[in-house]
Amino acid sequence: MKVFSNTVTYDYSWDEVSTANWRKYGPWNNKSTHVIAVDTLSRSVDPETGILRTERLITCKQSAPEWMKSILGPCMEMSHVYEASYVDPANKTLTMVSQNITLNNLISVQEEVVYHPTEANKTQFVQSARITALCGGWQRIKNSIEDTLVTRFRENALKGREGFERVLEMSRIMFAEEKARQQAAQMMH
């Protein structure tokens, strides 16, 4: 098993970040073109805690190294990921956990992401992933697969940060415009 971890502090409030999170795979993010579809499977609010739980299926296209395709086959071109997220407005945390569905009998990728406020108008993003190749006694191949996937996570984390920064910028502009419209409408009444 290999572990990848990443921490980023965004210069945006938790409210802005937790709202923009739902747009991170949309047209504002030119770094997430590998995401083909995001399907919401369920959404519910716990009446006692106020926690919003959402389950989604994320479909991605990907390019795998040729040596990995030769071992695992053409199914490496498309992957499906199950994601469960928990928005806790009382404690101001957004937690997302995900698990690969595609090739989960050969590779296990378990990821956890937590957003929480650190100080006024700043939000910390903490990401960790546990990557395990399940190919029995072939330690050398197992290590190569895990190393490749950790490298891929590192590369995608940088792209993800750049793309999410753009989504945050566009969200802030959109919210400012909406607030200005609301203020103008109030002044007219």
Side-chain angles (χ1 to χ4, degrees):
M1 177 179 69
K2 299 282 192 307
V3 176
F4 170 80
S5 62
N6 181 34
T7 302
V8 175
T9 300
Y10 291 105
D11 289 327
Y12 293 86
S13 70
W14 182 84
D15 290 337
E16 290 172 302
V17 169
S18 62
T19 301
N21 177 65
W22 301 110
R23 293 184 183 97
K24 73 180 174 186
Y25 297 126
W28 291 343
N29 186 346
N30 61 355
K31 302 292 184 180
S32 69
T33 56
H34 65 289
V35 177
I36 298 169
V38 179
D39 298 299
T40 300
L41 305 174
S42 72
R43 184 170 277 159
S44 61
V45 176
D46 184 308
E48 292 180 25
T49 63
I51 294 174
L52 169 65
R53 175 189 164 92
T54 304
E55 295 179 64
R56 303 191 305 176
L57 177 66
I58 301 170
T59 304
C60 304
K61 63 181 175 182
Q62 59 190 19
S63 59
E66 288 302 318
W67 68 266
M68 198 179 283
K69 285 184 202 174
S70 69
I71 296 170
L72 301 175
C75 59
M76 291 296 297
E77 298 295 322
M78 180 114 28
S79 65
H80 300 282
V81 175
Y82 167 81
E83 175 192 83
S85 64
Y86 306 87
V87 180
D88 184 344
N91 294 310
K92 291 198 181 250
T93 59
L94 166 56
T95 304
M96 295 179 296
V97 292
S98 62
Q99 170 73 45
N100 64 303
I101 296 172
T102 304
L103 297 173
N104 65 357
N105 59 329
L106 300 173
I107 302 167
S108 173
V109 180
Q110 299 173 326
E111 180 183 20
E112 180 178 85
V113 169
V114 179
Y115 294 95
H116 62 87
T118 57
E119 53 188 83
N121 294 322
K122 291 190 185 247
T123 302
Q124 189 170 59
F125 162 88
V126 179
Q127 175 187 32
S128 65
R130 291 175 306 285
I131 300 163
T132 308
L134 307 169
C135 30
W138 301 8
Q139 192 63 41
R140 201 164 148 195
I141 291 174
K142 183 176 173 179
N143 286 340
S144 292
I145 291 170
E146 291 173 354
D147 290 341
T148 298
L149 292 174
V150 167
T151 299
R152 174 78 47 94
F153 248 88
R154 189 172 296 110
E155 292 166 356
N156 288 342
L158 180 58
K159 288 181 196 172
R161 178 181 181 175
E162 292 170 359
F164 194 51
E165 283 279 358
R166 176 153 166 67
V167 170
L168 287 164
E169 289 169 22
M170 296 303 291
S171 293
R172 185 171 275 175
I173 291 167
M174 184 183 75
F175 288 130
E177 289 173 355
E178 180 61 27
K179 188 174 181 179
R181 275 194 290 277
Q182 290 174 355
Q183 289 173 343
Q186 287 176 349
M187 291 174 66
M188 296 185 81
H189 287 104

